[in-house]
Amino acid sequence: MSSNFQAPKGVNEYVPPRSAIYLAARDAFAAVATRAGYSYLELPVFEDTALFSRGVGESTDVVSKEMYTFEDRGGRSLTLRPEFTVGVLRSVLQHNLHRGELPVKVWATGPAFRYERAQAGRYRQFYQVDLEAIGSEDPAVDVETIALAWDWYRELGLTRHSLHLNSLGCRECRPVYRAALQEFLRGLDLDEATRARIELNPLRVLDDKRPEVRAQVEAAPVVTDYLCGACKTHHDKVRELLADLEISWVDDPRLVRGLDYYTRTTYEFDHPLLGAQSGIGGGGRYDGLSEDIGGPPLPGIGFGLGLDRTVLAMEAEEAAAATVAGVTVYGVPLGEEAQRRIFGLVAALRRAGIAADMSYDGKKLKGAMRGADRSGAAYAVILGERDIAAGSAQLKDLASGDQVAVPLDEIVTTLKERLSQP
Ligand code: HAM
């Protein structure tokens, strides 16, 4: 029987054995980011509500429908972060990191919250790894971020993901495109809500998933035909550098992102085995965001990759098995004195850097050996009364079943030697 309580609807939680995949994925990301000179940021889970409404944009679904907003006991309006980027930028500006070497390269991870319709791969509490490079307009930085996401997916064993690339232009050329798109959309046969959207956020109409809308917007003007000279040069350079790194991509002039701050380069990673929620990550430039939240002009680019969907993709590609961690050695004490010795031995093994666990509660041999099997250990150290009298323990190779007596004070060194052999 479980308790009277369940986790709230739509939240995703990780319990063993699956949590090992999650942790391995997150740790691998830390290594990828650190290797490229990105430093870690630990940010608050909630921020001033106005930061998100200004930064992410009032007209987005995220801000208008999905935020977890509450008033604290001091009457402040706070919101659980629906994404990381605006909080990262707020923190960088608050701590004056942008006055040092540019770009400021940082990454963060943790939960984010959106009140969405919960389904497989879409949760109300979900997890991201987020990486941002702030203070550079160089297209090489755009490609660096893409390459890091790409390398991470590869390192996790994924092979089926794809990259979709677009440019959304800048403050100069986007309004021209926006006007052309609005004019086209106004001529279509659309429902009231969608018509209202044309005036508020016409790019979002391109993202409408309904077949009857999709069919009509097929012939809509595309943003890449409206890029100004500087945006076009930037976009071409991004594509050239991607090719240099042998990263394949699909040009997708209909790719619009669900957040308002994007300019120029935007991209998404998709996985074909995940059904409707196939977006495993996305990112892009946000050259005007700093000013939107009251900061100085400061360009930036980065991405947020969905840990939940990445774990699902690893499972779908059967890339997850290798990452499930266990212990290496399992102690099996038979009797009270043996329990005390094994307890000390397991502590010594751990101090020597060897992952070890043991059975508790005076379990008999059969139950304890079942624990050893389940632990994933390669070796069991079995200690009975007769062994104690002889000053040794039985070291059992759990794969082959071979068992030898080893003097108690040589167990740690013996295991170290055996484990260092390939
Ligand atoms: P986003 O596209 O909203 O971008 O989210 C990035 C990724 O988070 C998605 O591709 C998806 O994998 C995952 N994700 C989003 N919502 C959910 C959900 N409800 N359940 C499960 N996974 C989800 C951003 O958040 C931007 N801040 C990315 C960025 C960083 N752009 C520039 N820098």
Side-chain angles (χ1 to χ4, degrees):
M1 204 181 103
S2 54
S3 77
N4 292 335
F5 296 98
Q6 301 260 315
K9 184 174 156 66
V11 309
N12 204 12
E13 53 187 357
Y14 290 91
V15 301
R18 231 176 147 239
S19 52
I21 308 170
Y22 173 87
L23 194 60
R26 197 186 64 186
D27 287 354
F29 187 82
V32 166
T34 306
R35 214 154 61 203
Y38 288 77
S39 308
Y40 184 65
L41 272 186
E42 182 70 48
L43 297 173
V45 164
F46 53 81
E47 299 267 5
D48 231 325
T49 301
L51 175 69
F52 296 119
S53 39
R54 255 184 251 157
V56 174
E58 299 275 9
S59 71
T60 61
D61 282 354
V62 169
V63 169
S64 63
K65 299 184 194 157
E66 297 173 356
M67 294 210 297
Y68 278 91
T69 298
F70 61 98
E71 196 172 286
D72 76 1
R73 286 166 199 271
R76 302 169 195 86
S77 180
L78 298 171
T79 294
L80 298 183
R81 64 179 171 213
E83 63 107 51
F84 282 75
T85 311
V86 295
V88 169
L89 189 53
R90 192 268 310 140
S91 179
V92 164
L93 294 172
Q94 181 175 338
H95 298 283
N96 284 318
L97 301 185
H98 63 298
R99 295 193 204 273
E101 186 62 23
L102 295 180
V104 180
K105 293 170 55 160
V106 286
W107 73 280
T109 184
F113 306 84
R114 295 181 193 176
Y115 191 80
E116 297 202 70
R117 207 156 41 80
Q119 53 185 280
R122 188 198 270 171
Y123 311 105
R124 291 178 178 173
Q125 172 167 335
F126 60 97
Y127 300 85
Q128 282 186 356
V129 289
D130 182 273
L131 177 141
E132 313 287 351
I134 295 163
S136 168
E137 274 191 305
D138 194 328
V141 180
D142 304 31
V143 177
E144 173 173 293
T145 64
I146 294 172
L148 293 176
W150 193 262
D151 290 351
W152 181 57
Y153 292 137
R154 293 303 281 263
E155 217 162 275
L156 299 180
L158 298 183
T159 57
R160 307 274 310 268
H161 52 289
S162 60
L163 165 64
H164 293 251
L165 182 71
N166 196 14
S167 171
L168 293 179
C170 64
R171 294 212 159 145
E172 302 299 316
C173 52
R174 176 99 64 90
V176 184
Y177 170 65
R178 192 172 188 268
L181 180 63
Q182 281 176 320
E183 197 179 310
F184 172 86
L185 293 173
R186 284 184 197 123
L188 301 182
D189 176 24
L190 298 165
D191 61 274
E192 207 49 47
T194 314
R195 299 195 78 80
R197 191 171 260 189
I198 296 173
E199 306 312 318
L200 205 61
N201 197 343
L203 263 72
R204 301 290 307 150
V205 181
L206 294 181
D207 211 20
D208 202 307
K209 301 280 184 283
R210 291 171 296 176
E212 66 276 18
V213 180
R214 287 196 97 129
Q216 290 194 72
V217 301
E218 194 75 3
V222 295
V223 61
T224 36
D225 289 341
Y226 287 78
L227 296 181
C228 64
C231 285
K232 187 166 181 334
T233 306
H234 188 97
H235 193 47
D236 288 345
K237 191 73 193 172
V238 166
R239 296 156 85 232
E240 186 185 310
L241 292 174
L242 274 176
D244 281 358
L245 296 189
E246 294 178 2
I247 293 173
S248 50
W249 77 92
V250 181
D251 283 314
D252 187 350
R254 296 200 184 280
L255 175 73
V256 292
R257 308 262 304 123
L259 313 165
D260 272 357
Y261 48 63
Y262 288 111
T263 54
R264 292 196 167 172
T265 308
T266 45
Y267 54 87
E268 262 174 26
F269 297 97
D270 267 326
H271 198 279
L273 304 181
L274 295 191
Q277 307 305 319
S278 63
I280 55 173
R285 272 203 168 270
Y286 43 86
D287 293 345
L289 178 58
S290 172
E291 289 154 277
D292 290 345
I293 62 168
L298 198 63
I301 177 149
F303 59 64
L305 310 179
L307 270 165
D308 313 87
R309 293 183 194 171
T310 301
V311 167
L312 289 171
M314 289 168 76
E315 289 169 333
E317 283 202 45
E318 288 173 19
T323 65
V324 176
V327 295
T328 311
V329 180
Y330 197 87
V332 176
L334 304 170
E336 224 167 279
E337 178 57 20
Q339 148 114 17
R340 198 170 145 207
R341 304 271 184 119
I342 287 285
F343 189 66
L345 176 68
V346 162
L349 284 167
R350 291 170 182 163
R351 285 176 187 150
I354 298 171
D357 198 359
M358 62 181 282
S359 78
Y360 299 98
D361 295 306
K363 285 209 182 78
K364 302 266 187 296
L365 185 62
K366 199 167 153 207
M369 289 311 288
R370 201 179 314 128
D373 280 340
R374 285 187 185 154
S375 75
Y379 292 98
V381 179
I382 305 160
L383 190 65
E385 268 161 37
R386 224 178 301 155
D387 299 308
I388 297 174
S392 60
Q394 303 297 322
L395 181 61
K396 182 168 184 170
D397 181 326
L398 291 170
S400 66
D402 293 345
Q403 187 169 314
V404 289
V406 177
L408 271 171
D409 55 6
E410 289 173 23
I411 297 264
V412 176
T413 44
T414 305
L415 276 166
K416 263 186 154 171
E417 271 165 32
R418 288 215 191 182
L419 293 167
S420 67
Q421 281 158 15

